[in-house]
Structure formats: structure tokens, C-alpha cells
Amino acid sequence: MPQVKIITQLFGVEDSHRLPVYERHGGYQAIRKVLSGMSPEAVIEEVKKSRLRGLGGAGFPTGLKWSFVPKDSQRPKYVVVNADEGEPGTFKDRYIMMNVPHNLLEGIMIAAYAIGAHTAYIYLRGEYVHPRRRLEQAIAEAYAKGYLGENIFGLGYKLDVYIHVGAGAYICGEETALLESLEGKKGWPRLKPPFPATVGAFGCPTVVNNVETLSYVPHIIQRGAEWFASLGTERSGGARILSVSGHVRRPGIYEVTMSTTLREVIYEHAGGIREGRALKAVIPGGSSSPVLRAEEVDVACCFDALASIGSMAGSGGVIVMDETTCMFDALHNIVQFYAHESCGQCTPCRVGTGWLKRIMDRIGEGRGVPEDVDNLRAIAADMLGRTICPLGDAAAMPVMSFVDKFREEFEQHVREGRCSLRQTVREAVS
Amino acid sequence: MSVAFRSSALEKVQEIFRRYPDRRAAVIQLLHLAQEEFGYIGPEVERYVAELTQVPPVFVHQVLTFYGMFRTQPAGRHHIKVCRSIACHLMGATSVLEYLEKKLGIRAGQTTPDGRITLSTVECLGACELAPMMQVDDDFCGPLDEQRIDEVLEKLK
């Protein structure tokens, strides 16, 4: 499948981040259509029919999520945008906020109307200084035009949008940790239920959506749910923006339909493997998704296809590894990441990520013992499903998949106390 | 109170309070503001933020120490943060860090004796297409090689 241009259609257009340019290219028509003639229920129904799913990683159907917000609640309701993009290998939301911040704002407006929210917070990771400036400018432009504030578009709806700047914690990308952080606290995930739809920000009904997910909403309203659904697969509507990194010729973002295979993404869109080398492995959905071997890439990038082969579509962060990659070394890096980012709340994750790291450190230092490989797998399996939030699973899944699929490399490291692959590569280069 | 925001920052504080239904929600935002104003967050600043947001000092301390972006020590005039996560690692982040450490004569976590540059390592910055990359103050720089690093360092006064 060719690339599609939906959210990315204005990328590369001069000043695409400015309100007049966005509007000249059809922007802010969807919200006008919504406010001037659609009921909130009709908006939710349209998003349900589009089969739009959460593109931050969980893949939860967006329309369904919105429908869980109680309609009769007298409490304030909130839309919270997850712009805490932190899953290693993922950078698409940064492109959206830099290039088309008004597209995101329009999505926020529609979501707010659909659930009856009059306040929205964009939870933006602190390191994204330039995206913050773009969003601040876009929000100011929208207020100045009357597109945000007391009576948006003159159509009788009130909406305020604020940016909340995060401070460097991977865990805050998890929606309940994000809500804690929005409330000014350390980002410790909450037990669910209650789900944010009923008890979210400040104890009130809340919808938390990813930047990209919300950015598709105006396009769905404008062009119709059937159009969007038909681009995708049976249960994953439309398209998504993949972030491609690692050993490809053209790392970057690629907006593709959900039926596009990883092979097409890697070899056609991203230009294939650097220096004509062979593909060894791919992490398809950010660093927490189980790794795939080279022969497994004829798989659609949609949620169900990747789940059916034991991995996950996650955040769409496609990390490509060529034949020179030491899989022990790659996993060692990933294990260090989760050990650093575990928030410390749940014992299996706090202790498990530490154990995994220490075993990997030991093998890396040439002091591995034969049972280490089985122990890595066993510790990871014991973490799975035993924590409040998915970080424990996110740390366990790479370990299990790397060990299962590349076991010989791990055993070789333990046996020889060094990396024969890197040795070979070094000799070949010198 | 021995530390206090300038009046321009105090106006900003009021603007931040208006965004939320309670003052506690502003703690992280005020710590950011304090770091901009004072360079780092020492014990006095912690207590000041607690007073402004009407929370116990221990609450601010807990938040301060949970998040990676807050500095509790003075830093250099420029802050270089080298990404060490998987995409950058695959593309040579280790060599980038080694080169910077050699060139600056300091280790990650330290500041040059002239107070010019603080060097840190960080986890994924969300710019993997630039791998290997680093953040220099507000800007993302990459893909990095020794020549590009030299050029970036040259501009930091």
C-alpha cells in the first residue's frame, strides 16, 4: 500500500502550524459541522463506526472510550491529551504538534463536545520545548479568533485548553500515572477500576486520548466514518503514523493504512536496510513490544495482525535491527531502560526489573552462569500481569521474546563471556 | 522567606493557578518555573514552592525527586543530555557519550570546571529519527558524529 496523507497532508506546507494555513486547507470545518448540527451521541457513534483505536499504544476503541463517560454527571468533565510521548522508538506526536497543532486542537474540541467537557489539558513531556512553543502559539491564535474560550465559533460552546508540562518520567505516559502527574503529584499509576471515564482528573469523569488519535477525529467527521474504516482492517480503522528508526536508510515518520505490512514499511517507505545489509530483527510497536525475527515481517501493522503473531502494534515505533546487531546488547539496553523507569510502586516490577538488569549486567561483564538465561525468562514470566500498570509487562515482554527467539546468542554470551558477534564485526571492519 | 520570585514570575504563578481546580496541581509547573528562575531547586526553593501551593514541604520533595528534569544542584550555562535508549544505542550513542566525555574532560553527571557545560545521559527523548542524538538546552541535535559534535560544542559559550 502507498503511504496516505491524512494528518500528514499539510506536513511540508509553509507555515502549516499557523491557523490561517490550517483553515485554508479545510481545517476547523469539522468542528463547525459538529457544533452546528450534530448531537454528542452522533459524534460518538461516528467515531465508533470509524473503528479508530487508541494510537498511543493500547489500541482501545476511541468511540467506546468516549461512550463510557457518564452523561448525567453533574461534575466537571475533562479531556486530557496524552502528549507524553516517551515509548522508546516513538516520535510521531512530536511531528504532529510541530506541523499541525491546530489539527490536534480541532480534535480536542470535538472530543470535548462529545463528552461534555469544558476544560482540556494537554499533558506534554517536558523535553518537547519546541512543540510546546508551537502549541502555545496555536492556542493563542485559537483564542484570538474565538475558536477557544467562552463561546467557540460563536456556536454556544465553552472550552478552555491548557498545557501541562511533564518533567521527565516514562511512567507518566500511562494514563492514570499521567492523571496523578496532572494533579501535581509523583506519577504513580492508579488501580483500575474506577476507570478515568468515571473517576479521572481531579476525581471527575475524564477521557485520556493520545495526540495522534485525537488528530484523526476531525478527518473522520469531515470525510465520514465509512471512509476511515475502509482504509483499515476489520477491527482497526484507517491509518496510523509509524515512527521508523534504527538501521534503515530513511528513518522518519510514515503515515500508512493499517493493512500495510512491516516489510513494505521497512523496504519501500524507509528505504531498506542501511549499507545493503540484511535485516535481523524488528521491534514493531515501541520498545515494550515483543521482538520479531526477519522472516516475520510480512505482517500488517494493525493491532490484530501483530497480536496474532504474539507481538503488539503498540505506539507504532518500528525499531529496525540489521545483521550486525548483538541481540544480547540490544536487550541489555532495553532492560536498563525499564529498570530506570520503573516507578517503584509494585514489587514485581520494582524488584523484577532490578534483577533482570543485574543478571544482564553480570552476563555482559563475562560473569554469567548457565542458569541465567532460564532465570531471565522465568523472572520476566513472573512479572507478567502482576502489576498495577502495564510497565511490568512492558519490561517482561521484550525479555521473553528476545530470549525465546535469539536464545543461542544469550547462551553464547554466558558460555564465552564475550560477544562473538561484535568481535566478528570489529575484525571485519578493521 | 529568603527566596522569592520576581514580580513577573509571580504573575506567571497566578496564571498557572487559574488553570487548575486546586493549587496542588501547580506543583510541577512551579518547580519548572523555579528552575528557570533560580537555575536549580535547593531546599529553600522547595519550601517556597510548598508555601505557594499550600502543600507540605515533603510533598514537594517527593515530586522533585521523582522526576528526572529537575536539578537539585547548580548546573552549567548549557546542559547537554545524551539519549541512551534503544534507537540511539543501536546507532552509536555509546561512542557519542565517550567522545563528549573525552572532549569535555568530565563524566556524565558532571559540569565543566569553567561552568560552561553540564553533561547528562537521559532516556528516549522522542527523536529517534535523529539517532544518535542529544538535547542541547532546548534543541534536539542529530544524527551525531564527531564532526557534528565539534560544531555544536563550538557554538556553546
Side-chain angles (χ1 to χ4, degrees):
Chain A
M1 286 293 281
Q3 285 182 60
V4 288
K5 299 267 179 204
I6 303 169
I7 292 175
T8 57
Q9 64 182 339
L10 294 189
F11 286 26
V13 171
E14 191 181 353
D15 286 336
S16 63
H17 60 286
R18 304 298 304 273
L19 189 148
V21 177
Y22 179 64
E23 203 157 35
R24 201 180 311 135
H25 288 84
Y28 289 125
Q29 291 305 309
I31 181 63
R32 286 189 168 92
K33 181 175 166 182
V34 163
L35 290 178
S36 55
M38 288 176 81
S39 68
E41 292 76 21
V43 174
I44 293 175
E45 203 45 46
E46 192 73 0
V47 174
K48 273 188 187 170
K49 273 196 301 184
S50 76
R51 300 202 284 267
L52 175 66
R53 294 173 65 169
L55 299 171
F60 195 82
T62 306
L64 192 60
K65 194 185 235 186
W66 293 3
S67 72
F68 292 154
V69 174
K71 283 166 195 61
D72 49 1
S73 172
Q74 292 309 302
R75 315 204 64 184
K77 297 167 190 165
Y78 296 104
V79 168
V80 176
V81 183
N82 188 340
D84 192 45
E85 186 164 56
E87 176 73 14
T90 316
F91 45 91
K92 49 151 181 126
D93 295 336
R94 187 180 112 242
Y95 274 81
I96 295 171
M97 293 184 283
M98 287 302 288
N99 286 282
V100 286
H102 285 285
N103 187 161
L104 171 60
L105 289 182
E106 191 175 9
I108 294 169
M109 293 169 188
I110 296 169
Y113 175 77
I115 67 156
H118 298 288
T119 305
Y121 295 100
I122 302 173
Y123 186 103
L124 179 69
R125 66 176 298 179
E127 297 87 346
Y128 278 4
V129 178
H130 292 285
R132 183 171 87 219
R133 290 180 187 148
R134 283 281 158 93
L135 285 170
E136 282 168 351
Q137 184 185 34
I139 290 169
E141 285 180 321
Y143 272 105
K145 283 277 261 182
Y147 293 0
L148 285 174
E150 286 299 320
N151 178 19
I152 73 174
F153 298 89
L155 292 168
Y157 199 79
K158 175 185 185 303
L159 179 63
D160 288 308
V161 177
Y162 303 109
I163 299 169
H164 182 93
V165 181
Y170 169 74
I171 191 63
C172 292
E174 194 279 331
E175 66 175 6
T176 63
L178 184 148
L179 292 171
E180 288 287 296
S181 186
L182 175 66
E183 295 179 5
K185 299 180 252 179
K186 66 178 176 181
W188 268 20
R190 299 174 181 171
L191 271 171
K192 296 193 275 194
F195 290 92
T198 45
V199 183
F202 309 107
C204 298
T206 301
V207 154
V208 184
N209 282 141
N210 165 261
V211 168
E212 184 188 5
T213 311
L214 285 172
S215 297
Y216 274 118
V217 170
H219 301 280
I220 289 166
I221 297 297
Q222 264 309 84
R223 299 171 72 172
E226 286 80 10
W227 159 79
F228 191 77
S230 71
L231 289 175
T233 55
E234 200 182 329
R235 287 176 55 216
S236 304
R240 72 180 306 175
I241 303 176
L242 298 177
S243 312
V244 185
S245 65
H247 300 149
V248 289
R249 287 206 176 89
R250 290 194 299 271
I253 51 144
Y254 298 96
E255 188 173 31
V256 297
T257 61
M258 286 286 189
S259 58
T260 308
T261 66
L262 283 177
R263 183 177 300 282
E264 290 169 294
V265 171
I266 295 165
Y267 286 97
E268 292 170 31
H269 304 323
I273 310 302
R274 64 174 185 181
E275 296 166 39
R277 290 182 184 155
L279 176 66
K280 181 170 187 177
V282 183
I283 296 171
S287 69
S288 49
S289 58
V291 68
L292 301 176
R293 301 177 69 107
E295 62 269 24
E296 293 179 290
V297 297
D298 291 298
V299 60
C301 64
C302 80
F303 291 98
D304 307 297
L306 278 161
S308 74
I309 62 165
S311 186
M312 58 185 223
S315 63
V318 180
I319 306 165
V320 178
M321 291 172 268
D322 75 14
E323 58 189 325
T324 66
T325 310
C326 168
M327 300 308 280
F328 170 83
D329 180 62
L331 183 67
H332 195 183
N333 179 273
I334 291 170
V335 164
Q336 286 168 337
F337 174 83
Y338 289 105
H340 185 258
E341 297 297 335
S342 174
C343 79
Q345 182 173 204
C346 310
T347 309
C349 176
R350 180 185 65 243
V351 175
T353 54
W355 282 348
L356 292 171
K357 178 182 177 294
R358 286 195 295 278
I359 293 176
M360 292 294 281
D361 286 349
R362 180 167 74 200
I363 300 174
E365 290 159 7
R367 298 185 293 111
V369 293
E371 53 270 34
D372 277 348
V373 181
D374 282 331
N375 278 340
L376 284 171
R377 212 195 171 289
I379 292 165
D382 280 344
M383 291 164 63
L384 213 57
R386 292 194 170 88
T387 50
I388 289 173
C389 92
L391 196 145
D393 293 355
M397 290 186 295
V399 173
M400 296 168 75
S401 62
F402 271 72
V403 170
D404 287 349
K405 293 184 180 180
F406 299 94
R407 189 177 178 99
E408 171 49 30
E409 280 187 49
F410 288 83
E411 288 178 342
Q412 179 271 317
H413 273 264
V414 171
R415 204 167 49 236
E416 298 175 26
R418 67 188 181 98
C419 180
S420 62
L421 180 75
R422 271 187 295 179
Q423 201 68 27
T424 316
V425 171
R426 214 172 291 137
E427 280 160 14
V429 171
S430 62
Chain B
M1 190 52 77
S2 51
V3 291
F5 282 136
R6 298 175 291 165
S7 60
S8 60
L10 280 171
E11 281 170 32
K12 183 88 182 150
V13 170
Q14 292 307 317
E15 191 271 311
I16 290 168
F17 284 155
R18 282 194 291 273
R19 297 176 199 168
Y20 306 101
D22 62 44
R23 284 193 166 200
R24 186 186 62 189
V27 167
I28 296 170
Q29 310 309 297
L30 293 203
L31 287 172
H32 275 301
L33 185 64
Q35 185 158 290
E36 275 169 38
E37 292 288 312
F38 307 117
Y40 70 103
I41 297 155
E44 287 184 337
V45 176
E46 263 185 63
R47 281 193 295 275
Y48 181 52
V49 169
E51 192 168 287
L52 285 170
T53 51
Q54 296 164 353
V55 299
V58 67
F59 181 91
V60 174
H61 190 69
Q62 190 179 40
V63 170
L64 175 73
T65 51
F66 184 82
Y67 294 96
M69 286 181 71
F70 297 129
R71 292 187 297 256
T72 53
Q73 298 289 327
R77 293 192 292 283
H78 302 285
H79 197 162
I80 294 181
K81 299 172 180 177
V82 180
C83 176
R84 64 178 175 202
S85 294
I86 184 67
C88 284
H89 180 75
L90 290 170
M91 300 302 286
T94 310
S95 311
V96 167
L97 183 63
E98 279 170 7
Y99 184 70
L100 276 163
E101 287 184 333
K102 193 179 81 185
K103 183 108 185 169
L104 296 172
I106 53 172
R107 306 295 301 271
Q110 297 178 336
T111 301
T112 54
D114 59 1
R116 179 168 152 250
I117 293 171
T118 296
L119 180 67
S120 308
T121 57
V122 291
E123 301 298 353
C124 188
L125 287 169
C128 318
E129 82 283 21
L130 301 176
M133 61 81 62
M134 61 187 181
Q135 183 166 19
V136 180
D137 300 327
D138 294 348
D139 303 324
F140 288 172
C141 302
L144 298 170
D145 55 23
E146 294 187 358
Q147 190 192 336
R148 181 90 174 87
I149 294 170
D150 288 344
E151 287 165 12
V152 171
L153 291 180
E154 186 62 30
K155 291 195 193 103
L156 301 179
K157 295 301 165 207

